[in-house]
Amino acid sequence: MYRKRNEDVVNELGSNVQSGLSSQEVEIRREKYGKNALEEHKKETLLVKFLKSFADVLIIILLVAAVISLIVDPHEWVDSLVIFIVVMLNAILGVVQESKAEKSLEALKKMSSPECKVIRNGVTDKIPSEDLVVGDIILIEAGDFIPADARLIDAVNLQVDESALTGESVPVTKMTDVIDGDAAALGDRKNMVFSSTFVTNGRGKAVVTDTGMKTEIGKIAGMLGAQKAEPTPLQNKLDQVGKVIGIISIFICVVVFALDYFALGAELIESFKLAVSLAVAAIPEGLATVVTIVLAIGVRKMVAENAIVKKLPAVETLGCTSIVCSDKTGTLTQNKMTVLEIYDNGKLKLLSDITEENHQLINYFSICCDAKIEMVDGVEKRIGDPTETALVELNNKYGSDVSWAERVGEIPFDSDRKLMTVVIKKDGKFISITKGAPDVLLKRLSKSSKVEGVNEAIENMSSRALRVLALGIKVFDKMPEVTLDLEQDVEFLGLVGMIDPPRPEVLEAIKVAKHAGVRTIMITGDNIITATAIANELGIMGEGQRAVSSDELDSMSDEELRNRIEEFSVYARVAPKDKVRIVEAWQSKGKVVAMTGDGVNDSPALKKADIGCAMGITGTDVSKEAADMILTDDNFTTIIKAVKQGRGIYANIRKCVKYLLSSNIGEVLVILLAELIAALNILPLHVPLAGIHLLWINLVTDSLPAFGLGMEKPEDSVMFEKPRPKDENFFAQKLGLHIGLEGVVVGALTLTSYIVGFQLYGHAVASTMAFVTLAFTQLFHSYNVKSEKSVFTKQAFNNRFLNLAFIVGAIMQLAVVYIPGLNTIFQSVMLSLPQIAIAIGSAFAIVIVMEIYKLIVRLIYKNK
Ligand code: ATP
């Protein structure tokens, strides 16, 4: 295709440059060519996933224990069988949950998958890139991913980063001319653009030549290796915890077995059963699954709050965020620009005072725009940058027709230059019109420009939070060369001042953030006076803090910036490269930084930041790719909500872990203490809990409330605390101590129930009582863990899932005791009313103990 003229390519593909394909044609082609998507790699089959879930130290220990007990005592096969069944069930549950989590992550990926601009039926539209067909006419601009392979029809300063395809990281400048020669290398086919590369500069129009697997990237099959989902740091940490527990439990088992068999002279089978019970007791079988699911649920909840988290670890990092650097326009403000004033012929004017003599200025402002306001089916549709739609609207309402202006050259806007230029033909002459940031333009004026009073006008408008744009022109007799020289020596014409009101909800969000120890920093391309005015309105500027401009920033060394970083709350006239410096300076202070961005040039800063936030609506594909999180509503408030969710999810996981591990410790203690009491000849106790009891509790009655705890809404109080340090130990803030202490209580209550039962009714009944007590202790305990507040408050029961988990858990527990058949499998006996009353009563004691504890903590806290 690169050897043919672009007109010929368009004809050959049966398309039309102006109107594109028709809907019918698209349908026919979709049938023929299929989706414009790369074939996905084969996913792991369910069976592979299922088998993989056995590659877990803890599960292996369990299985080995089951096999050995079958060998040692084949008569007691039910025990081993139950262990097998429970482990299987656990594996199945894990696989089901994991694929659910995977599906929701996939759905997330879809939500963030690129769209592209296409001309069909004569209208420009945005469609999912997947729906492109060969022959479609696409429009591309800086920041877009190229959606398919295509031959260029039009290219204006078009540069494309093709490193994904060629490995060459320097952007390639594209053109439309025919390329001679037979086998130009990919990198030399400069009149083509290729799928999966992205536009770094300029814009263009092209006709799609290949889609899906037929594209160059599709041909490189090896590059499409399925991305592996890396475990998050937290999952890693918990894996470690699991392993350590595994090793400790093996150690305890061996020691206890040896003691029991050799020192106390017990029977081999009995000693062995004891050891197996201990292993089962100590291993938190449900832990890994619970954490994965809590993370996945959290991510889903965030979507509902407009934050798409692309990488699971980001959920954890979010909670540590201490600095949020936010773009102003569109994120803190509404990005609904409206021109309020103009400055023309030395006079500042309100719109109502505009006269015909001002038409030239506002004509030129609107000519120097790519934005459009169209009526589609009677509805006004604004396409393009709001700064520009405001200018077009200004001219539509107060100016005159500009359809005569034929554009013959242009230099697109970019946030580094902060200028945009177009060249038009008028009355046989060529006029180059440049608009942009006034401070930039004023530095480039011709000597003859009249600028008296201009600075005052700029300052006047800026101090009232208006965004000011300046305009200048240059007139030529013949078509000038379109280079950056057009933006030198321009003749000043005038200014406009436009307002972009803050989003109403942002003020509150910034306050909440402040309480939560999260500082908001405003980053803007606007000038320092406008920026300061808005920052003051939003309460961003704290005492002793100030705004700094890019120029001043440039004059500072990295070290100086690092030392003074706390001083600056507002960065004005920022270029994207400054963002990286700001992130680095804060990070050097040990802060966890969230940074927003939308343009191509923002990618390095988004990648550098701990949480890169891309804009869902206005963001470029490239920025979305680089980000950790996408704000689907472009709203600052969403970041703060996400921080709250992040903290809540982390807190929930801690609650789950505390809950599950304290149960394991309790179980181990019951068995060890009973053994000790027997060994010391105080009472002839047996092993209070059978392996099957422990498995049932760990995998069923414990897991249910643990999921419930994972579903907890973040407590408001999470936003009254300082951000957690990033490297904080998971067991920090005495979590370890709490797990230990609460474990002791669980163990003590269960053992009490067993001893009382043992004395009154003998081992069989006592064992069932201990079984019931342990299960109910945990069910009750879930409400203690739920919140640091008392359980005797209304909020205690506001978690439907937890309530349901409690009820289902309780019913299932009673079922395995009272349903004949089940109770044989579960080695339990039907308890009489007094027996069950003692068992459940002992369990309830954990609520009382914890309430007293919470009361004491509150009193100490108050006194402090
Ligand atoms: P923020 O950085 O606050 O989110 P922004 O993204 O709009 O704002 P830039 O797009 O970098 O900031 O714009 C910086 C400056 O460039 C603006 O203050 C304005 O003076 C000028 N400018 C913005 N858009 C255009 C445009 N389309 N044409 C010419 N100049 C523009």
Side-chain angles (χ1 to χ4, degrees):
M1 294 294 182
Y2 58 91
R3 274 168 283 159
K4 295 179 188 159
R5 295 188 322 141
N6 51 27
E7 298 92 327
D8 298 340
V9 175
V10 174
N11 285 339
E12 195 177 303
L13 296 174
S15 191
N16 180 300
V17 176
Q18 267 76 39
S19 59
L21 297 173
S22 67
S23 306
Q24 294 98 318
E25 193 54 40
V26 169
E27 275 314 311
I28 296 169
R29 292 182 187 214
R30 210 190 327 255
E31 289 287 306
K32 185 167 161 201
Y33 297 106
K35 268 193 181 167
N36 174 33
L38 301 175
E39 271 161 27
E40 298 207 1
H41 257 236
K42 276 222 186 91
K43 291 213 193 91
E44 271 176 8
T45 58
L46 283 183
L47 183 68
V48 173
K49 273 191 196 153
F50 178 74
L51 292 178
K52 264 195 178 168
S53 62
F54 290 99
D56 182 299
V57 188
L58 303 182
I59 299 292
I60 292 173
I61 296 177
L62 274 181
L63 288 177
V64 170
V67 172
I68 299 181
S69 51
L70 196 62
I71 298 170
V72 175
D73 188 5
H75 297 293
E76 297 264 351
W77 55 272
V78 178
D79 259 15
S80 304
L81 181 69
V82 170
I83 294 186
F84 282 128
I85 292 177
V86 172
V87 167
M88 290 292 163
L89 274 179
N90 189 45
I92 292 172
L93 206 82
V95 170
V96 170
Q97 293 294 359
E98 202 184 301
S99 24
K100 256 200 201 151
E102 223 169 59
K103 279 220 182 84
S104 65
L105 285 180
E106 254 168 41
L108 288 185
K109 230 196 240 157
K110 277 227 172 88
M111 286 166 76
S112 56
S113 77
E115 295 190 319
C116 64
K117 272 176 256 123
V118 63
I119 302 181
R120 283 181 182 172
N121 304 311
V123 192
T124 309
D125 202 3
K126 239 184 175 182
I127 60 164
S129 302
E130 239 184 37
D131 294 342
L132 273 187
V133 294
V134 170
D136 262 327
I137 305 289
I138 52 171
L139 299 173
I140 47 178
E141 62 181 347
D144 289 349
F145 271 109
I146 310 275
D149 287 3
R151 170 74 163 89
L152 284 164
I153 300 166
D154 202 0
V156 181
N157 300 313
L158 185 66
Q159 289 186 331
V160 178
D161 182 324
E162 296 190 333
S163 51
L165 201 58
T166 60
E168 173 61 57
S169 60
V170 181
V172 183
T173 304
K174 295 286 178 178
M175 50 158 195
T176 53
D177 303 346
V178 173
I179 292 175
D180 293 327
D182 264 350
L186 274 188
D188 295 332
R189 297 184 199 166
K190 296 195 172 163
N191 55 14
M192 298 278 301
V193 285
F194 300 103
S195 174
S196 299
T197 62
F198 68 89
V199 185
T200 57
N201 196 23
R203 59 179 182 81
K205 195 185 212 182
V207 56
V208 173
T209 54
D210 284 302
T211 58
M213 291 306 283
K214 295 247 167 59
T215 59
E216 294 299 331
I217 192 92
K219 289 181 197 157
I220 312 174
M223 287 185 69
L224 313 177
Q227 276 184 351
K228 259 231 217 102
E230 296 281 327
T232 79
L234 187 58
Q235 284 169 326
N236 277 337
K237 260 188 236 167
L238 289 176
D239 263 2
Q240 294 280 322
V241 173
K243 282 198 185 114
V244 172
I245 293 176
I247 293 167
I248 295 177
S249 63
I250 293 180
F251 179 75
I252 296 181
C253 287
V254 172
V255 170
V256 170
F257 176 81
L259 263 180
D260 201 54
Y261 183 64
F262 296 112
L264 298 175
E267 281 199 30
L268 181 72
I269 293 177
E270 289 309 315
S271 305
F272 188 75
K273 269 195 195 160
L274 172 69
V276 171
S277 300
L278 266 179
V280 174
I283 295 172
E285 292 87 353
L287 195 63
T289 336
V290 168
V291 171
T292 313
I293 294 170
V294 170
L295 277 175
I297 294 170
V299 167
R300 255 212 318 258
K301 271 196 203 151
M302 285 187 170
V303 174
E305 300 201 322
N306 300 320
I308 300 179
V309 175
K310 285 175 51 201
K311 299 163 192 164
L312 270 192
V315 180
E316 294 159 46
T317 321
L318 262 172
C320 310
T321 309
S322 46
I323 302 291
V324 177
C325 300
S326 171
D327 280 327
K328 174 179 74 64
T329 310
T331 314
L332 293 168
T333 65
Q334 303 178 12
N335 208 6
K336 284 195 188 128
M337 304 266 179
T338 317
V339 177
L340 291 188
E341 291 165 27
I342 66 163
Y343 177 85
D344 194 10
N345 293 327
K347 273 190 238 130
L348 204 54
K349 278 187 169 179
L350 291 175
L351 301 191
S352 49
D353 300 330
I354 287 180
T355 59
E356 206 153 305
E357 65 165 359
N358 306 122
H359 278 193
Q360 186 190 30
L361 178 70
I362 55 185
N363 278 172
Y364 282 178
F365 260 120
S366 86
I367 290 170
C368 186
C369 283
D370 287 326
K372 284 191 204 104
I373 301 181
E374 284 172 355
M375 294 304 274
V376 179
D377 302 330
V379 187
E380 187 188 272
K381 208 172 160 194
R382 291 169 174 241
I383 303 157
D385 175 13
T387 302
E388 297 198 344
T389 44
L391 295 171
V392 174
E393 184 181 33
L394 170 72
N395 188 56
N396 287 354
K397 284 195 179 152
Y398 298 93
S400 48
D401 178 45
V402 288
S403 55
W404 51 264
E406 184 197 345
R407 194 187 282 193
V408 288
E410 64 183 85
I411 310 175
F413 172 75
D414 88 57
S415 354
D416 281 318
R417 259 170 46 250
K418 298 186 169 51
L419 294 176
M420 161 168 180
T421 298
V422 301
V423 184
I424 57 164
K425 226 167 149 180
K426 188 186 181 194
D427 307 331
K429 299 216 166 184
F430 293 86
I431 306 175
S432 128
I433 309 172
T434 303
K435 77 170 191 317
D439 35 342
V440 181
L441 195 74
L442 288 188
K443 281 189 203 135
R444 299 159 179 241
L445 294 185
S446 63
K447 294 216 172 62
S448 57
S449 281
K450 294 192 203 93
V451 287
E452 212 178 309
V454 173
N455 278 323
E456 288 73 16
I458 295 173
E459 209 175 310
N460 178 334
M461 288 193 272
S462 303
S463 62
R464 286 178 286 125
L466 298 191
R467 162 178 280 203
V468 184
L469 243 58
L471 184 124
I473 57 168
K474 260 171 121 170
V475 182
F476 301 89
D477 289 329
K478 46 180 215 287
M479 177 67 192
E481 218 180 303
V482 181
T483 64
L484 288 179
D485 277 346
L486 290 179
E487 294 174 349
Q488 295 294 346
D489 298 322
V490 292
E491 185 195 340
F492 178 77
L493 268 200
L495 308 169
V496 292
M498 52 181 85
I499 186 97
D500 177 20
R503 287 173 181 268
E505 64 279 20
V506 162
L507 197 67
E508 182 59 29
I510 289 177
K511 246 191 233 156
V512 171
K514 211 181 249 172
H515 273 296
V518 179
R519 184 165 161 191
T520 308
I521 306 286
M522 180 165 122
I523 294 188
T524 174
D526 263 336
N527 83 20
I528 194 161
I529 307 174
T530 311
T532 308
I534 296 186
N536 281 330
E537 247 174 67
L538 289 174
I540 286 176
M541 201 84 86
E543 216 165 287
Q545 295 167 3
R546 67 185 192 91
V548 60
S549 71
S550 189
D551 288 343
E552 193 180 343
L553 213 55
D554 282 343
S555 69
M556 273 181 232
S557 68
D558 285 343
E559 193 182 341
E560 191 182 355
L561 179 61
R562 254 178 266 142
N563 292 335
R564 298 179 57 189
I565 191 81
E566 311 256 356
E567 243 177 75
F568 310 125
S569 282
V570 173
Y571 294 84
R573 280 284 181 255
V574 169
K577 66 174 177 5
D578 298 326
K579 286 187 168 180
V580 178
R581 289 187 74 200
I582 299 169
V583 171
E584 275 171 350
W586 276 116
Q587 281 174 336
S588 75
K589 296 254 165 192
K591 302 287 184 188
V592 174
V593 187
M595 168 68 85
T596 66
D598 48 13
V600 202
N601 311 348
D602 286 334
S603 305
L606 290 175
K607 282 199 182 128
K608 181 84 209 164
D610 300 278
I611 301 283
C613 311
M615 301 296 144
I617 304 170
T618 56
T620 53
D621 299 342
V622 179
S623 63
K624 287 181 195 168
E625 180 73 20
D628 303 289
M629 181 165 94
I630 299 175
L631 312 176
T632 53
D633 59 354
D634 290 12
N635 193 335
F636 171 81
T637 318
T638 302
I639 306 177
I640 305 302
K641 281 189 200 152
V643 168
K644 182 174 176 185
Q645 279 292 352
R647 289 186 180 191
I649 291 170
Y650 191 79
N652 285 353
I653 291 179
R654 273 172 56 107
K655 284 177 195 168
C656 288
V657 170
K658 172 163 128 175
Y659 177 73
L660 290 173
L661 289 189
S662 59
S663 167
N664 290 108
I665 291 186
E667 291 164 11
V668 171
L669 279 179
V670 172
I671 294 170
L672 279 184
L673 288 177
E675 179 68 10
L676 202 66
I677 291 172
L680 295 175
N681 279 330
I682 301 171
L683 283 172
L685 302 182
H686 296 227
V687 182
L689 296 157
I692 175 149
H693 295 158
L694 297 162
L695 271 182
W696 171 254
I697 287 174
N698 287 357
L699 283 167
V700 183
T701 54
D702 264 11
S703 292
L704 289 173
F707 288 134
L709 288 173
M711 302 283 245
E712 273 286 296
K713 278 206 204 90
E715 292 184 72
D716 281 335
S717 62
V718 295
M719 290 306 260
F720 295 134
E721 292 152 18
K722 290 240 141 14
R724 146 179 69 88
K726 198 177 177 187
D727 47 6
E728 186 182 272
N729 189 303
F730 183 76
F731 292 95
Q733 292 167 22
K734 308 214 176 76
L735 182 67
L737 183 71
H738 277 257
I739 293 175
L741 287 178
E742 286 164 34
V744 169
V745 179
V746 173
L749 294 177
T750 310
L751 190 63
T752 308
S753 176
Y754 177 73
I755 292 177
V756 171
F758 187 83
Q759 294 292 61
L760 295 178
Y761 316 106
H763 169 73
V765 170
S767 173
T768 307
M769 281 170 67
F771 181 30
V772 171
T773 302
L774 180 57
F776 273 87
T777 304
Q778 281 297 108
L779 289 175
F780 288 132
H781 192 41
S782 61
Y783 285 91
N784 296 329
V785 176
K786 180 179 186 300
S787 164
E788 256 132 58
K789 294 194 202 105
S790 163
V791 290
F792 299 109
T793 53
K794 230 169 61 197
Q795 291 98 309
F797 303 102
N798 64 1
N799 181 339
R800 277 188 300 136
F801 299 98
L802 188 59
N803 297 344
L804 192 69
F806 181 90
I807 294 167
V808 174
I811 292 175
M812 286 172 73
Q813 181 59 34
L814 294 176
V816 296
V817 173
Y818 286 105
I819 294 183
L822 277 184
N823 65 0
T824 5
I825 297 177
F826 280 89
Q827 302 174 18
S828 53
V829 292
M830 291 200 199
L831 297 181
S832 67
L833 200 63
Q835 290 163 352
I836 193 108
I838 297 174
I840 297 183
S842 317
F844 189 74
I846 195 159
V847 176
I848 298 165
V849 173
M850 290 304 295
E851 276 302 306
I852 296 173
Y853 170 77
K854 284 180 186 175
L855 190 73
I856 295 172
V857 172
R858 269 202 297 278
L859 286 179
I860 295 174
Y861 198 68
K862 232 187 213 162
N863 284 343
K864 269 190 186 162

